[in-house]
Amino acid sequence: MALIALAESAQDIATGFNRFLDPLPESSTEITALISECFAISSALRLLDTAKEDPRYYLDYEYIYNDVAVVRDTLDYTFTDVTRLFGGLDRPFHISRRTAFRQVWQEIDDFFYQESNASLCRRLEDSRIYLTELGYLLMDGTSGDEYRIQELRDRLETLFEIQQLRLASTMNNLSLGDAGAPRQRSFERRRPLRLSTRPREPPPGLRGGAGRYPGPMSPQSPPGFDHDYYPWCPAAPEVPTSPTTTTTFSTLSSSASASFSPNHWLPGVFYQTPPTTSFRQTGAESKCYGEDIPGASARLAREYDKLLEATFEDGDLQVRLFHRASDQRARIHCRVSRNGRFVKQCCLPLTKLSIQREASTLKFYRMGDSRRLKDIWVRLRFPSYERLVLFHCAFIALRSEDGEKPVELFDDHEMHGEKSIYAGKIRDDEFLHALRVYKDRDCGGIRLQASVLRGELKRKPVWTAFITTHVESQRWMRQAGPKTIHLADLQRFVFAEAYTPQLGPQGQHELQFESSQDAREFMNRINELADDQMQHYH
């Protein structure tokens, strides 16, 4: 989509949200922020569209073209989704106008959180800041926090891939067609001009008149854009400087993407959508207590592959997991911001940390000598039981593959708050694994977990599956032999390379137990769990 057309779409979206102000006065702060972001994005897009035709800038524009294309395409998807959701207001509601607007408002909020675990306002804010920085870079050769720009670029690229995957799924894996200008993968693309702290001269032969480079700008205009030179461009409404949307629960962004590390198992875990079981008790908010390590992200980028990026507390805490294939070393990196401004970054090897669960949080402690825990390094709060479990298992599995410390030095493989219902042995992908059934004491979530039984990787998670909604179905589980049980459905989240699920002759999920006694005991425990659930419901 052309930049001007996208700018007009942004203004249309702002007009659409303006309709929500009267019927939803309690949400006026969030709605006004969305309107402001849309107008600011429209203004930035118009300025870029004009600048790329200016003889002073058009040659330099090619250096940022691919980056403009990323934010253009993500905004195109986003505006299309918002327009579709606005269509819900045209349904023949048999309810009040206020209730109809409230339902559509909630649908919009739920949709964007489900897609990227961040609010729509946060997404638009990222796009607006990135567009502004690109324009500032193009027209003045200067920009703000280089680390911040890299973070925004990574998030927008990841979001674009998530949007493409969703579109491919809805089209039954047909070709995506022309989803915008062809883009090279992130590691092939030419990055924008090197960021600098002082203005650069325009390329020889393209110098404009004196005084054409922007000076100090009004708070209402994106920095680095000269409204004296483009007097026709409307100024954007003032955008609040602090976040206007908050969430009681932390958010885990399933932003692992194939562009990070396509050959590792971890991104595949977070590509899948797990069920959602909410906690009755929630823990304290996410917080990083580690010491600031300047330049940590740059060093990681040179030596490590990024496997996962998780966003907590509406973006104020970003957590990344990194891996180095040459020696299987793994590190965790935390970036802390406040009101959109960078505060600090912290980094540690996974083998320096041990996990303790408390309510809906995982607390990571630095390890001292003789297994003693020292001070807390970071606390992460999760919105659901399933997300907490997946992060815990992924961390433990990744740390187990790091050969710096023996696995037996850690005693955090089981989570506080889960009750072990069953333990047995299964033959799984030609290996002997320990199979356990856990039930969470707080939310009642039930899951299976297969782990390595012996050797250097003992107790490393191999896969887990959430079965809370399956156990009470009489058709879900069937004994196919003295040592064999078939399950009708089982979504396995796998924490290992090249794992092949055990399947029956007709594609059923198969558990091959080491003994007939283990098989009988497993069926008995599952049936007891089903009875408990039936009694609870009735």
Side-chain angles (χ1 to χ4, degrees):
M1 175 180 284
L3 297 184
I4 285 294
L6 194 63
E8 292 173 351
S9 294
Q11 291 180 220
D12 292 341
I13 296 298
T15 302
F17 276 119
N18 192 62
R19 300 169 58 197
F20 287 72
L21 285 172
D22 287 341
L24 300 178
E26 70 277 9
S27 301
S28 60
T29 302
E30 292 85 352
I31 296 169
T32 302
L34 283 169
I35 294 171
S36 297
E37 292 292 353
C38 288
F39 277 119
I41 287 170
S42 177
S43 179
L45 288 168
R46 291 179 184 276
L47 289 167
L48 277 174
D49 185 72
T50 302
K52 69 184 177 67
E53 303 298 333
D54 191 300
R56 297 175 299 168
Y57 309 125
Y58 71 84
L59 290 180
D60 288 347
Y61 184 77
E62 68 175 275
Y63 288 94
I64 67 168
Y65 172 80
N66 282 317
D67 294 278
V68 173
V70 171
V71 67
R72 178 199 66 199
D73 293 344
T74 61
L75 284 172
D76 189 15
Y77 277 121
T78 299
F79 291 161
T80 299
D81 289 329
V82 174
T83 302
R84 173 179 54 79
L85 292 164
F86 279 168
L89 294 172
D90 298 327
R91 294 195 296 260
F93 288 107
H94 300 290
I95 52 179
S96 68
R97 177 173 176 268
R98 174 180 170 82
T99 301
F101 273 91
R102 185 186 296 114
Q103 286 185 359
V104 173
W105 175 251
Q106 187 63 51
E107 288 173 6
I108 291 171
D109 188 58
D110 291 344
F111 176 83
F112 288 103
Y113 266 105
Q114 183 177 356
E115 182 175 62
S116 61
N117 280 340
S119 66
L120 173 60
C121 192
R122 187 61 183 242
R123 180 185 298 191
L124 295 180
E125 181 186 16
D126 284 349
S127 299
R128 184 255 305 169
I129 293 173
Y130 193 54
L131 284 169
T132 300
E133 294 290 351
L134 288 176
Y136 198 35
L137 181 64
L138 174 65
M139 301 173 65
D140 197 33
T142 63
S143 189
D145 182 357
E146 182 174 356
Y147 182 91
R148 172 67 167 161
I149 295 172
Q150 181 63 51
E151 290 282 317
L152 290 172
R153 178 189 294 121
D154 289 346
R155 286 215 294 269
L156 290 169
E157 287 180 343
T158 299
L159 173 61
F160 180 68
E161 291 176 359
I162 291 172
Q163 290 170 319
Q164 284 188 311
L165 286 170
R166 175 169 57 84
L167 179 61
S169 176
T170 58
M171 296 175 67
N172 295 322
N173 296 320
L174 295 176
S175 171
L176 288 176
D178 182 12
R183 296 197 307 119
Q184 294 171 295
R185 295 187 64 80
S186 58
F187 56 81
E188 298 172 329
R189 291 174 35 222
R190 175 160 46 179
R191 290 302 184 190
L193 300 172
R194 181 173 178 81
L195 302 177
S196 171
T197 57
R198 62 178 185 274
R200 60 175 171 83
E201 288 292 321
L206 295 178
R207 289 183 174 86
R212 292 299 180 92
Y213 285 98
M217 302 304 297
S218 161
Q220 290 186 331
S221 60
F225 290 89
D226 190 349
H227 283 290
D228 292 333
Y229 189 72
Y230 303 110
W232 54 267
C233 187
E238 184 173 356
V239 178
T241 56
S242 60
T244 57
T245 57
T246 57
T247 175
T248 304
F249 299 100
S250 63
T251 57
L252 176 64
S253 174
S254 305
S255 59
S257 72
S259 65
F260 288 1
S261 182
N263 298 319
H264 199 275
W265 53 262
L266 193 145
V269 172
F270 294 93
Y271 265 139
Q272 302 180 71
T273 302
T276 299
T277 306
S278 299
F279 292 104
R280 290 197 297 265
Q281 290 185 324
T282 59
E285 68 178 13
S286 303
K287 184 175 181 180
C288 180
Y289 298 87
E291 296 180 356
D292 185 27
I293 304 179
S297 61
R299 292 195 293 272
L300 286 170
R302 287 194 295 269
E303 299 182 24
Y304 287 76
D305 294 321
K306 181 168 61 176
L307 300 180
L308 177 72
E309 179 177 309
T311 303
F312 298 83
E313 307 304 337
D314 207 18
D316 286 345
L317 175 59
Q318 294 174 353
V319 177
R320 292 175 166 182
L321 295 178
F322 288 86
H323 175 260
R324 186 166 61 193
S326 60
D327 56 5
Q328 300 298 313
R329 298 306 310 276
R331 290 180 177 266
I332 182 172
H333 176 271
C334 296
R335 184 184 189 275
V336 181
S337 59
R338 189 173 297 114
N339 295 334
R341 295 183 178 273
F342 171 74
V343 176
K344 67 177 180 178
Q345 56 176 317
C346 312
C347 184
L348 274 182
L350 267 59
T351 52
K352 301 292 185 184
L353 294 168
S354 184
I355 311 177
Q356 287 188 358
R357 178 192 172 187
E358 183 177 284
S360 65
T361 69
L362 294 178
K363 299 164 72 174
F364 296 76
Y365 288 86
R366 291 199 303 151
M367 293 280 289
D369 297 330
S370 303
R371 299 189 184 183
R372 289 182 300 179
L373 301 181
K374 297 173 68 176
D375 50 312
I376 184 172
W377 190 73
V378 68
R379 178 178 61 237
L380 304 178
R381 181 170 61 177
F382 294 83
S384 69
Y385 167 67
E386 289 80 8
R387 289 293 190 187
L388 181 143
V389 167
L390 291 178
F391 198 94
H392 180 273
C393 288
F395 186 94
I396 296 293
L398 193 61
R399 189 187 64 190
S400 299
E401 295 173 355
D402 188 321
E404 185 193 13
K405 285 186 178 180
V407 173
E408 56 265 21
L409 288 180
F410 300 94
D411 58 359
D412 54 1
H413 295 82
E414 293 192 346
M415 290 197 302
H416 175 73
E418 283 190 322
K419 181 180 179 181
S420 180
I421 304 297
Y422 168 84
K425 300 176 184 178
I426 58 172
R427 287 284 171 184
D428 195 13
D429 195 19
E430 300 182 359
F431 292 94
L432 189 61
H433 290 156
L435 179 68
R436 292 178 173 85
V437 179
Y438 293 106
K439 181 175 182 179
D440 190 71
R441 292 186 173 92
D442 176 85
C443 67
I446 304 170
R447 69 184 181 99
L448 307 180
Q449 179 173 309
S451 306
V452 177
L453 188 61
R454 301 189 183 98
E456 294 181 355
L457 299 180
K458 183 179 178 180
R459 303 206 70 181
K460 174 200 167 185
V462 178
W463 58 264
T464 192
F466 303 100
I467 62 171
T468 312
T469 59
H470 294 315
V471 295
E472 60 189 77
S473 172
Q474 296 181 353
R475 298 182 179 182
W476 178 66
M477 179 176 63
R478 182 178 68 86
Q479 187 157 11
K483 302 179 182 179
T484 305
I485 291 176
H486 286 169
L487 304 176
D489 186 22
L490 195 68
Q491 182 186 18
R492 305 188 209 207
F493 295 82
V494 179
F495 311 101
E497 294 289 353
Y499 170 80
T500 303
Q502 192 87 8
L503 299 177
Q506 297 179 335
Q508 314 96 320
H509 295 273
E510 185 173 277
L511 299 179
Q512 188 68 45
F513 290 85
E514 185 70 0
S515 70
S516 57
Q517 181 178 350
D518 281 354
R520 286 195 305 271
E521 185 70 14
F522 177 83
M523 292 197 69
N524 290 338
R525 298 288 82 80
I526 295 298
N527 288 330
E528 289 173 2
L529 288 170
D531 292 340
D532 290 344
Q533 286 197 351
M534 294 296 291
Q535 292 176 7
H536 175 74
Y537 292 147
H538 298 290

